[in-house]
Amino acid sequence: MTAFEEMGVLPEIGKAVEEMDWIQHTHVHSIPLILGGGDVLMAAETGSGKTGAFCLPIIQIVWETLKDLEAGKGSKIIAQISPHWTLSFFDRGSALAVTPDGLRCQSREQKEWHGCRCTKGVQGKGKYYFEATVTDEGVCRVGWSTQQASLDLGTDRFGFGFGGTGKKSNNKQFDNYGEAFGMHDVIGCYLDLDIGEIKFSKNGVDLGKAFSIPQQVKSAALYPAVVLKNAEMSFNFGAQPFKHQPESGYIALCEAAKDNVKQNEIGTAGGSSQSKPVKNAPQAIIIEPSRELAEQTYNQIVKFKKHLENPQVRELLVIGGVNVKEQIGALNAGVDIIVGTPGRMEDLISTGHLSLTQCRFFVLDEADGLLKQGYTELIDRLHRQIPKITSDGHRLQMIVCSATLHAFEVKKMAERLMHFPTWVDLKGEDAVPETVHHVVVMVDPQKDNNWQNLRRHIQTDGVHAKDNVRPGNNTAETLSEAVKMLKGEYCVRAINEHKMDRAIIFCRTKLDCDNLEKYLNQVGGGSHSRNNQYSCVCLHGDRKPAERKANLERFKKQEAKFLICTDVAARGLDITGLPFMVNITLPDEKSNYVHRIGRVGRAERMGLAISLVSSVPEKVWYHGEWCSSRGRNCWNTRLTDEGGCCIWYNEPRYLAEIEDHLNVTIQQVEPDLKVPMDEFDGKVTYGQKRQQMGTNYENHVAQMAPAVQELSQLESKTQLFYLKRHFGKMRN
Ligand SMILES: Nc1ncnc2c1ncn2[C@@H]1O[C@H](COP(=O)(O)OP(=O)(O)OP(=O)(O)O)[C@@H](O)[C@H]1O
């Protein structure tokens, strides 16, 4: 049995994971929690394997559900409750969900009505009563119908409904009746089979006769029935004390004599289920903050489900920049798990191509990032549209994860949307993995005069093009320009010093990325040079999706040594064994520091992260929504509070904030960029697993051996002592 199987993972999935050479990670602790049906907030360091921790149990549950459906089985719960009067799990509309106890139903479909009938009905004679309570805003209609009736109660001859707008309906005829009802109102539903009459009460007040039941309908059994539009109702068929006692002569439905009770045929042998799987309604929705990350998670799912067959789990990637027609085609063919970015996902939902009615997992990967990107409302909106109880009676599960989950907005969202979530959090605060060695170097143009006589330097961002910057005048603008030039030099120096042949380099803006790309290619002898020591590719929002994808691939295949990117690639990107990363500028969003440096030191391999920090203020571009071109050909170098598109960037302040947030002092190194290795015993090879780990472990065993031996001796002494006392007493 694999370690993963011990956590409840199916052998087929365990095998796939084993083939990926996965050893058990700390983070798999979330797996049993998710398999157990809970909501989980998963906070763990970068590179610790969060993707697997949520994908594995989801794939498993989705597959098991498909298998049950294929075998014609509904929820396992059904068998337990079928002897009772409950709402049917089978005789119901596809968007209507029923709780496991069968006493509450909900539909989050906003445009269509979805209905449901009870597992049993009454026929012949007798007077019967049940209660229905409105438990959420929305529109509902409740009453009685025969098995022949449409689930849209009251729209044919066989159904008799009383609606929240104060109308009764039968055979599509809607007439005023009683009064309107809504949230918390209790509707009493009366059926008198002796005289063939249906009536209702509201909060115990009799509303008078509603219908006479035609003879041909009366000969069939009548079942309690309900139809909802984005609403929820709970039911009491008499197993609990009624809120309002029925008038005399009427009995609770559950007390009906056996001879008068008829089992609902739908869902029992010989019956047919109306709750067929809906093709474009997946069971799991996983939202990712970037296309690259969505694709990465999608690829992991493909690997994990490799050995799962009969039925096949169908996954779909839903991201922008890709032909939407293909995605719609795939949706229509049937999907089970969707991974995507928020924008395209919502487009497909709002146009009806993607349905949320069968969704049982709602996953927000890099949740704090999604919220910071402004998707709070979109997330709330999607959550509102997903039924909180699945069609087979399970509660919707929400899984939220990130390496930086300790953010105020995440906690607020969890309170708002999640159901008693469990925090899986080993550190209790945002932290950097031990495998990431991170240092800063101060770039000080007042101490380091090199910028004054550079023959060749990086093209700067042009912020100071109109300023009088020149060596010697020492203005803030000159020093700022000097920092930009020096950072190009320091970047090349870092590469040379550490003989980097693979690294991610983060810049603040797309323009900075483009400039660095040009510069590295120039230093390396040109982008087409075969001996280019600094071959590089760019990944940022202005590059076309196909180019982004191709560039990432080239970097992964080591056809390019350096990946230069903006924060679009800060989160989640998993590049096996990446040894180095460089921050040309610190991120202003402190959580992104953790994510950026977390591109190295993943899956227990060591990594080095170097951040260049300007000691003086640096004037930089800041194009907000006020900038009509959002930066393209914008040369408005006035400050933002003067209506311009520049700010003074204060890196030492950002550094202090990051240190404060992480509760650490980040080691500073000299401008020669040499990183002292003694702390790591000189045995570190960045990109490789730590050599000393094994040795440490062996030492640890050797150190512990005497203590363990002593413990074992004490244990056997205690047992002997106990046995002597126990049997000694017995003999006496
Ligand atoms: N149990 C395991 N054994 C070995 N490797 C693993 C295990 N779990 C995950 N990995 C590997 O670790 C790497 C990091 O995993 P993953 O991308 O899920 O990290 P993460 O926690 O989501 O990080 P981030 O916060 O940066 O997104 C991946 O390459 C993955 O294949």
Side-chain angles (χ1 to χ4, degrees):
M1 191 187 261
T2 65
F4 283 89
E5 282 171 56
E6 277 170 24
M7 314 213 72
V9 170
L10 282 167
E12 288 88 343
I13 301 181
K15 189 172 165 203
V17 172
E18 217 172 43
E19 283 171 7
M20 291 160 75
D21 279 337
W22 275 24
I23 35 106
Q24 192 163 317
H25 255 212
T26 42
H27 223 75
V28 288
H29 297 313
S30 314
I31 293 178
L33 286 171
I34 301 173
L35 287 176
D39 279 12
V40 177
L41 282 152
M42 206 192 295
E45 292 163 351
T46 49
S48 61
K50 292 185 284 295
T51 321
F54 69 78
C55 284
L56 293 173
I58 289 179
I59 296 173
Q60 171 152 340
I61 292 177
V62 166
W63 182 79
E64 282 174 343
T65 309
L66 289 174
K67 204 159 176 63
D68 277 355
L69 275 174
E70 207 181 58
K73 276 191 259 165
S75 159
K76 289 171 193 131
I77 310 153
I78 291 166
Q80 296 161 17
I81 59 166
S82 57
H84 306 294
W85 283 77
T86 62
L87 297 170
S88 168
F89 290 110
F90 296 104
D91 193 7
R92 60 170 180 82
S94 59
L96 188 127
V98 175
T99 45
D101 62 5
L103 295 177
R104 194 151 55 96
C105 63
Q106 184 192 62
S107 170
R108 283 291 163 239
E109 178 58 64
Q110 313 204 3
K111 294 190 193 111
E112 286 168 31
W113 290 92
H114 283 260
C116 181
R117 259 187 290 268
C118 192
T119 46
K120 294 164 202 268
V122 277
Q123 62 184 1
K125 56 184 176 136
K127 294 170 159 196
Y128 306 99
Y129 175 79
F130 72 92
E131 276 181 356
T133 306
V134 184
T135 44
D136 200 358
E137 307 291 351
V139 224
C140 18
R141 206 180 304 141
V142 64
W144 303 86
S145 74
T146 72
Q147 192 90 73
Q148 254 180 302
S150 141
L151 284 173
D152 194 354
L153 180 68
T155 56
D156 58 26
R157 289 190 294 135
F158 307 101
F160 307 88
F162 171 36
T165 51
K167 301 235 188 263
K168 60 176 183 174
S169 56
N170 167 245
N171 208 7
K172 284 211 185 89
Q173 187 168 331
F174 289 77
D175 295 320
N176 288 339
Y177 170 77
E179 55 185 81
F181 63 86
M183 189 72 169
H184 305 309
D185 284 332
V186 181
I187 304 304
C189 302
Y190 289 86
L191 170 68
D192 184 342
L193 285 178
D194 300 337
I195 57 165
E197 194 179 286
I198 288 174
K199 66 173 183 172
F200 299 91
S201 65
K202 177 184 160 185
N203 300 326
V205 178
D206 190 344
L207 300 175
K209 176 178 155 189
F211 304 101
S212 291
I213 312 169
Q215 196 50 42
Q216 76 272 33
V217 177
K218 209 177 133 234
S219 56
L222 280 155
Y223 298 79
V226 60
V227 65
L228 306 174
K229 199 190 263 185
N230 195 19
E232 188 183 280
M233 276 197 121
S234 72
F235 289 79
N236 182 0
F237 300 107
Q240 304 294 323
F242 285 122
K243 255 284 174 41
H244 305 283
Q245 282 308 311
E247 71 186 49
S248 82
Y250 284 84
I251 58 165
L253 264 179
C254 68
E255 285 165 13
K258 232 174 158 191
D259 289 349
N260 297 113
V261 173
K262 179 111 197 310
Q263 195 76 32
N264 188 331
E265 282 169 7
I266 295 178
T268 56
S272 67
S273 163
Q274 290 196 4
S275 84
K276 292 191 197 95
V278 185
K279 288 206 161 150
N280 65 342
Q283 293 186 52
I285 302 268
I286 302 169
I287 303 188
E288 299 280 355
S290 72
R291 294 169 185 168
E292 285 76 15
L293 210 44
E295 192 154 3
Q296 187 175 291
T297 302
Y298 169 85
N299 289 337
Q300 287 252 339
I301 292 174
V302 173
K303 281 192 193 158
F304 291 144
K305 60 150 234 188
K306 187 172 153 202
H307 297 296
L308 279 182
E309 284 171 358
N310 303 330
Q312 279 286 339
V313 172
R314 295 154 305 173
E315 61 286 331
L316 178 68
L317 180 66
V318 166
I319 53 175
V322 176
N323 188 343
V324 74
K325 279 199 189 128
E326 275 172 33
Q327 291 172 358
I328 294 172
L331 280 166
N332 291 337
V335 284
D336 304 306
I337 300 178
I338 290 217
V339 189
T341 42
R344 179 59 65 88
M345 195 101 79
E346 196 176 39
D347 286 350
L348 289 169
I349 292 165
S350 61
T351 49
H353 293 295
L354 169 56
S355 158
L356 296 175
T357 54
Q358 307 295 311
C359 180
R360 62 190 303 165
F361 288 107
F362 187 43
V363 184
L364 305 178
D365 193 14
E366 305 294 350
D368 58 316
L370 285 167
L371 297 177
K372 279 179 188 131
Q373 281 179 36
Y375 288 122
T376 311
E377 273 181 32
L378 184 146
I379 290 167
D380 283 10
R381 220 166 27 241
L382 295 189
H383 185 264
R384 263 199 305 277
Q385 289 175 50
I386 304 176
K388 302 303 162 304
I389 312 149
T390 65
S391 47
D392 61 350
H394 288 96
R395 214 182 39 71
L396 168 74
Q397 268 180 275
M398 196 164 162
I399 298 152
V400 166
C401 41
S402 174
T404 51
L405 216 47
H406 295 272
F408 177 69
E409 54 268 51
V410 174
K411 287 179 188 142
K412 290 299 280 179
M413 183 194 65
E415 269 172 31
R416 219 173 37 246
L417 307 183
M418 297 180 81
H419 183 81
F420 299 109
T422 309
W423 273 90
V424 180
D425 177 13
L426 299 173
K427 293 257 162 89
E429 60 183 357
D430 295 350
V432 176
E434 273 181 20
T435 44
V436 179
H437 189 187
H438 56 133
V439 299
V440 296
V441 57
M442 299 310 288
V443 181
D444 186 345
Q446 285 164 313
K447 283 196 193 143
D448 185 345
N449 292 327
N450 266 333
W451 58 275
Q452 297 183 356
N453 31 33
L454 287 175
R455 269 191 294 126
R456 175 181 64 184
H457 63 78
I458 188 168
Q459 183 178 330
T460 59
D461 56 9
V463 165
H464 301 297
K466 289 187 229 149
D467 297 330
N468 176 24
V469 291
R470 60 183 164 78
N473 77 356
N474 266 356
T475 59
E477 284 77 12
T478 296
L479 294 177
S480 166
E481 180 74 359
V483 161
K484 294 175 202 281
M485 288 154 65
L486 279 177
K487 282 192 169 177
E489 295 315 296
Y490 280 41
C491 176
V492 173
R493 197 181 299 161
I495 293 173
N496 294 343
E497 171 60 33
H498 295 279
K499 302 189 178 52
M500 295 183 189
D501 58 1
R502 277 185 101 191
I504 289 196
I505 305 175
F506 282 95
C507 296
R508 222 189 114 257
T509 66
K510 296 175 263 196
L511 179 62
D512 293 338
C513 289
D514 293 343
N515 287 338
L516 185 62
E517 183 189 30
K518 272 186 223 140
Y519 184 57
L520 288 186
N521 277 327
Q522 190 189 351
V523 179
S527 58
H528 297 297
S529 158
R530 277 223 234 121
N531 303 323
N532 185 354
Q533 291 297 305
Y534 306 95
S535 61
C536 52
V537 285
C538 260
L539 203 168
H540 61 62
D542 276 355
R543 302 284 170 118
K544 297 234 165 64
E547 191 196 339
R548 271 165 71 162
K549 192 172 166 166
N551 286 352
L552 185 57
E553 278 312 305
R554 280 192 63 197
F555 179 62
K556 282 188 175 171
K557 287 191 194 144
Q558 303 193 34
E559 290 167 13
K561 294 185 172 180
F562 303 103
L563 178 71
I564 305 171
C565 46
T566 56
D567 272 334
V568 76
R571 286 169 178 264
L573 274 194
D574 184 51
I575 291 139
T576 317
L578 185 71
F580 301 104
M581 71 78 52
V582 179
N583 275 322
I584 299 294
T585 308
L586 286 178
D588 52 356
E589 173 55 56
K590 54 183 182 281
S591 60
N592 272 354
Y593 178 77
V594 174
H595 291 283
R596 283 183 181 187
I597 68 169
R599 295 317 94 213
V600 299
R602 301 174 72 74
E604 291 175 358
R605 286 169 196 263
M606 298 303 298
L608 174 65
I610 298 177
S611 300
L612 312 183
V613 176
S614 166
S615 63
V616 296
E618 186 186 344
K619 193 176 174 185
V620 295
W621 290 113
Y622 191 86
H623 307 281
E625 56 274 10
W626 56 87
C627 175
S628 54
S629 68
R630 274 285 184 160
R632 267 173 215 241
N633 300 323
C634 166
W635 296 108
N636 186 348
T637 56
R638 272 175 296 153
L639 295 175
T640 49
D641 44 14
E642 295 158 5
C645 287
C646 281
I647 53 168
W648 282 98
Y649 207 71
N650 185 339
E651 276 196 287
R653 201 185 75 215
Y654 291 130
L655 177 62
E657 278 178 15
I658 290 165
E659 290 187 326
D660 194 43
H661 181 68
L662 294 176
N663 212 1
V664 292
T665 305
I666 303 173
Q667 187 184 356
Q668 287 200 12
V669 297
E670 294 302 312
D672 61 9
L673 285 149
K674 291 192 194 308
V675 173
M677 301 284 269
D678 42 315
E679 183 183 328
F680 289 88
D681 219 1
K683 286 177 187 145
V684 171
T685 311
Y686 293 117
Q688 304 290 318
K689 290 195 177 174
R690 202 138 112 195
Q691 294 297 311
Q692 41 169 196
M693 269 178 182
T695 343
N696 247 359
Y697 188 65
E698 277 163 31
N699 283 346
H700 184 70
V701 171
Q703 279 167 19
M704 292 300 286
V708 172
Q709 214 167 10
E710 195 183 333
L711 257 178
S712 133
Q713 281 164 1
L714 281 171
E715 170 104 27
S716 69
K717 267 191 199 159
T718 319
Q719 281 179 6
L720 282 172
F721 179 68
Y722 169 79
L723 288 172
K724 264 189 208 154
R725 269 191 65 124
H726 188 64
F727 290 107
K729 252 192 218 154
M730 272 177 47
R731 251 187 262 127
N732 295 340

